[in-house]
Amino acid sequence: MNEFPVYTDGLLTRHDGISLHTLPPLSLYVHIPWCIRKCPYCDFNSHQIKQPVDETVYVEALLRDLESELPYFWGRPIHSIFIGGGTPSVFSAHAIDDLLSGIRARTQLLANAEITLEANPGTFEKQRFQDFAAAGINRLSIGVQSFDDRKLAALGRIHNRQEALAAIETALSLFPQVNIDLMYALPDQSIKDAQADIKTALDTGVNHISAYQLTMEPNTPFGHTPPARLPDEEGSDDIETKIHQELAAAGFERYEISAFARAQQYCRHNLNYWQFGDYIGIGAGAHGKLSSANNMVRTTRVRHPKDYLAAMQDKPEVAIDRQNVLPQALPFEFMMNALRLTQGVPTHWFSERTGRDISCIQPAITQAVKRGLLDPQPQFLKATALGQRFLNDLLALFLEN
Ligand SMILES: C[S@@+](CC[C@H](N)C(=O)[O-])C[C@H]1O[C@@H](n2cnc3c(N)ncnc32)[C@H](O)[C@@H]1O
Ligand code: SF4
């Protein structure tokens, strides 16, 4: 089994004398809330562009947002940046360059930081991708969903198979790491269709694939009126099993429920979430989590881009909600992330990253091991195959400890 890389902040000391090596690594999430067209299944905070977006104003708002957050993470290096959405690739490379320069000027961004940008193949232009790479993006995550034109049409996507393949080919020539998102259990999808999608994905040569089961989210057009001919539960399970088999046969490790990597090309940014690391979240609707010596705070930015922009021009603090996480909520939150990882996490991280003693979850651990849901080896907190399958049952044991 491959070991996950562990990122630490080293032995930095803040001027107030608190040693930061006890804090987890810190990442930065940046939300860009616009898309060319809103997909009918999507409940992300993303808005169809109806009139031209002023990128300069939004980048300025993001940097002001970051500045308002600086006192809360002063002196801590940033290990990774993830520019997500929405569709960040609707922004020009110039805007992304300004954003990254602004972040570098205000923070201690590590020289080897992973910097990801989410892209939609419908926004693909070779020059634009080249300029994203020149701006410092070193990982491109492309929302492909399927390579089947009929499925793409049923999903309301703005691109076709050819555009997806062209975007991937160019991305592989420009970025050290490329991820593609696929969805399965699509309308009218057979196991053969799903197999064909995976085969095409593998043939491109990418080393990271995220495969999500299409879910019907309540406040979306698909949530109100699900598309016809969706696979039933058994059909979806069969498709999922086939996809996992094909990926494993091609040398992909399923390192998280929906994330598969070859040659240890894990997404370091997402790994930090699952390992209960810290992250700053800037941009409309973005979430953050920051630990300090004696508490943990979750932050949420106001969701609507209009409200967010107005607040950032005037009083950033009105757009930012900060809530202390109650100590009794921490075990569940920690386990909800850590147990998504197939390798789990070292047990000592529990107390290091929640500030709670492991004894508070010992009864839950004992019960989970007894039920075959948790691996019995004491040095890791790791779900068994059964525990992964019934993750909600496993997590329920860790509620309110
Ligand atoms: C923010 S989007 C990624 C980039 C870009 N917006 C795009 O769609 O091309 C993140 C990913 O979430 C997945 N996703 C979104 N809504 C979903 C749903 N209802 N069910 C399953 N996966 C979903 C898609 O695979 C999508 O690529
Ligand atoms: S392009 Fe991506 S973020 Fe935008 S609506 Fe579609 S799935 Fe959601």
Side-chain angles (χ1 to χ4, degrees):
M1 190 203 294
N2 298 319
E3 290 254 316
F4 285 141
V6 176
Y7 307 100
T8 61
D9 276 350
L11 288 166
L12 298 169
T13 305
R14 267 193 330 205
H15 56 271
D16 58 5
I18 295 171
S19 178
L20 286 189
H21 73 282
T22 55
L23 290 177
L26 178 66
S27 300
L28 171 64
Y29 175 77
V30 183
H31 193 75
I32 312 263
W34 291 284
C35 296
I36 297 194
R37 193 162 78 202
K38 182 82 186 173
C39 305
Y41 55 84
C42 174
D43 78 341
F44 283 81
N45 183 27
S46 61
H47 303 260
Q48 184 159 327
I49 299 173
K50 296 201 176 112
Q51 53 217 32
V53 171
D54 192 331
E55 302 176 344
T56 311
V57 169
Y58 193 70
V59 169
E60 278 168 8
L62 288 170
L63 294 175
R64 191 168 293 187
D65 190 354
L66 182 63
E67 276 167 13
S68 74
E69 199 68 30
L70 286 176
Y72 299 94
F73 69 94
W74 203 245
R76 295 177 67 181
I78 293 182
H79 292 255
S80 64
I81 301 177
F82 193 103
I83 307 173
T87 305
S89 58
V90 296
F91 268 29
S92 66
H94 193 266
I96 298 297
D97 192 28
D98 285 349
L99 170 66
L100 291 177
S101 306
I103 293 170
R104 284 193 190 93
R106 288 164 179 79
T107 65
Q108 208 184 316
L109 179 64
L110 292 181
N112 65 349
E114 178 191 83
I115 308 179
T116 306
L117 181 104
E118 278 187 333
N120 182 314
T123 62
F124 166 62
E125 283 161 6
K126 191 164 185 191
Q127 187 61 49
R128 181 192 291 245
F129 275 27
Q130 267 169 358
D131 295 342
F132 284 149
I137 301 297
N138 51 32
R139 189 171 180 282
L140 200 75
S141 181
I142 308 176
V144 171
Q145 322 313 349
S146 173
F147 290 100
D148 178 330
D149 282 339
R150 278 197 306 201
K151 303 278 182 290
L152 289 169
L155 291 171
R157 299 291 294 178
I158 57 167
H159 60 89
N160 60 25
R161 170 191 171 91
Q162 272 321 314
E163 284 161 329
L165 288 170
I168 296 168
E169 192 186 349
T170 300
L172 283 167
S173 72
L174 292 171
F175 301 95
Q177 303 217 43
V178 176
N179 168 62
I180 59 178
D181 287 341
L182 291 177
M183 296 196 302
Y184 60 88
L186 306 178
D188 223 6
Q189 191 177 40
S190 65
I191 295 186
K192 266 204 171 132
D193 295 337
Q195 218 174 344
D197 267 351
I198 285 293
K199 184 174 180 323
T200 309
L202 293 171
D203 287 348
T204 64
V206 294
N207 283 322
H208 195 288
I209 295 176
S210 304
Y212 304 108
Q213 174 168 352
L214 174 65
T215 52
M216 299 299 125
E217 302 296 334
N219 288 316
T220 62
F222 274 14
H224 295 302
T225 317
R229 300 173 64 85
L230 279 174
D232 60 15
E233 205 179 317
E234 200 187 328
S236 302
D237 285 352
D238 291 346
I239 290 176
E240 182 178 275
T241 304
K242 182 49 96 186
I243 288 175
H244 292 179
Q245 281 169 353
E246 298 282 329
L247 285 165
F252 277 75
E253 176 193 353
R254 183 187 185 196
Y255 70 101
E256 188 266 347
I257 292 177
S258 311
F260 301 78
R262 199 153 47 182
Q264 299 187 50
Q265 306 261 302
Y266 311 122
C267 171
R268 284 160 53 182
H269 184 89
N270 288 345
L271 207 45
N272 192 41
Y273 293 151
W274 299 318
Q275 293 175 337
F276 216 51
D278 279 355
Y279 51 98
I280 305 150
I282 60 171
H287 295 274
K289 162 189 175 280
L290 277 177
S291 317
S292 68
N294 47 21
N295 72 350
M296 184 181 295
V297 172
R298 288 211 177 266
T299 61
T300 313
R301 274 21 177 195
V302 69
R303 246 175 104 81
H304 202 281
K306 233 191 214 162
D307 300 332
Y308 174 80
L309 281 166
M312 286 303 150
Q313 270 166 4
D314 193 14
K315 274 193 178 158
E317 60 280 8
V318 302
I320 307 172
D321 179 54
R322 293 180 195 282
Q323 297 287 338
N324 279 341
V325 183
L326 294 173
Q328 59 268 36
L330 284 165
F332 179 77
E333 291 205 12
F334 178 89
M335 296 306 264
M336 189 173 64
N337 284 284
L339 295 181
R340 295 179 67 93
L341 293 167
T342 38
Q343 296 178 26
V345 294
T347 305
H348 61 91
W349 284 12
F350 177 81
S351 49
E352 286 172 19
R353 298 191 174 191
T354 64
R356 302 281 314 271
D357 195 88
I358 189 76
S359 60
C360 74
I361 54 165
Q362 200 51 59
I365 292 178
T366 307
Q367 221 199 329
V369 170
K370 217 160 111 191
R371 286 172 55 183
L373 299 169
L374 203 65
D375 192 295
Q377 52 174 334
Q379 64 274 37
F380 283 96
L381 291 168
K382 174 177 171 232
T384 58
L386 189 70
Q388 266 181 22
R389 184 134 184 255
F390 297 102
L391 194 56
N392 287 342
D393 294 344
L394 171 56
L395 289 175
L397 299 172
F398 293 92
L399 273 169
E400 298 288 317
N401 282 279

